[in-house]
Amino acid sequence: MIALAWILLLAASTGVDLVDEVYQIPANEWRYVELGLNQKPALVSAAYDVQGGSREVRLALMRREDLDRLREGAPQSVIDVTARAASGALKPHVRGPGDFVIVVDNRGDAPAKVHLRVHLDFAVGQGSEVTQLSPRRQLAVILISFAVFFGIVGWSARRLLRGIRR
């Protein structure tokens, strides 16, 4: 019975550990990991720690097309990027499906031994996203609420006063 409960719990899991490995990255080189988010949006949690060598390492989340531009040496855009350091983390919410990659970039003069962890959480897009109105809309809601409130109070007071005078 307990085994069945564990199986059901694991089957209902909404997260996936995609990568938990150590990479050897030569000086002034980069490596990438495909995310494969072709079906669903997800929260991408990526973190790295340099275990040896160059400390000029950074992570970047980008689309597959931008990775092709990076290969050619052409300008590319990134969705999110860390600073060059011995460790760092990204936690962007990829809202739409598509081909995305995490790039581990070593810009130092020495090779780097980098421990990379990437986790995908598919439950984030299922109603748990917090949103907030802009200040202008907040003010509009407050003013409309006051107008409705005082309109009802005025109408009620008028009806009560008519009832008392009769």
Side-chain angles (χ1 to χ4, degrees):
M1 187 67 164
I2 293 174
L4 178 63
W6 276 105
I7 290 172
L8 290 174
L9 180 66
L10 289 174
S13 175
T14 59
V16 174
D17 284 329
L18 192 61
V19 173
D20 190 4
E21 295 181 25
V22 176
Y23 292 93
Q24 294 286 343
I25 304 174
N28 293 315
E29 291 286 328
W30 50 269
R31 299 290 182 259
Y32 72 96
V33 175
E34 300 231 12
L35 297 182
L37 298 175
N38 293 328
Q39 291 94 15
K40 299 168 77 172
L43 178 69
V44 178
S45 299
Y48 73 96
D49 293 307
V50 176
Q51 296 181 341
S54 172
R55 304 273 183 198
E56 296 288 315
V57 177
R58 70 178 182 156
L59 283 184
L61 173 67
M62 61 179 61
R63 293 191 172 273
R64 178 77 177 172
E65 307 89 57
D66 292 317
L67 179 69
D68 296 335
R69 288 187 197 108
L70 180 65
R71 278 193 183 117
E72 297 165 359
Q76 70 279 345
S77 63
V78 295
I79 296 169
D80 202 358
V81 67
T82 64
R84 290 186 182 137
S87 65
L90 295 175
K91 204 164 189 174
H93 184 198
V94 178
R95 299 187 187 281
D99 291 328
F100 296 93
V101 294
I102 293 282
V103 176
V104 184
D105 186 15
N106 177 14
R107 287 294 154 209
D109 295 332
K113 184 177 177 183
V114 180
H115 181 209
L116 177 65
R117 293 170 306 283
V118 178
H119 178 81
L120 303 177
D121 187 1
F122 296 104
V124 172
Q126 299 174 355
S128 64
E129 191 173 333
V130 177
T131 59
Q132 185 175 7
L133 292 175
S134 67
R136 193 172 182 180
R137 288 190 178 183
Q138 288 176 359
L139 180 63
V141 168
I142 291 169
L143 292 176
I144 291 169
S145 299
F146 274 126
V148 169
F149 173 76
F150 287 118
I152 292 171
V153 167
W155 180 78
S156 298
R158 194 171 139 206
R159 298 284 296 192
L160 284 171
L161 288 173
R162 270 192 203 164
I164 292 173
R165 290 184 184 156
R166 285 189 181 177

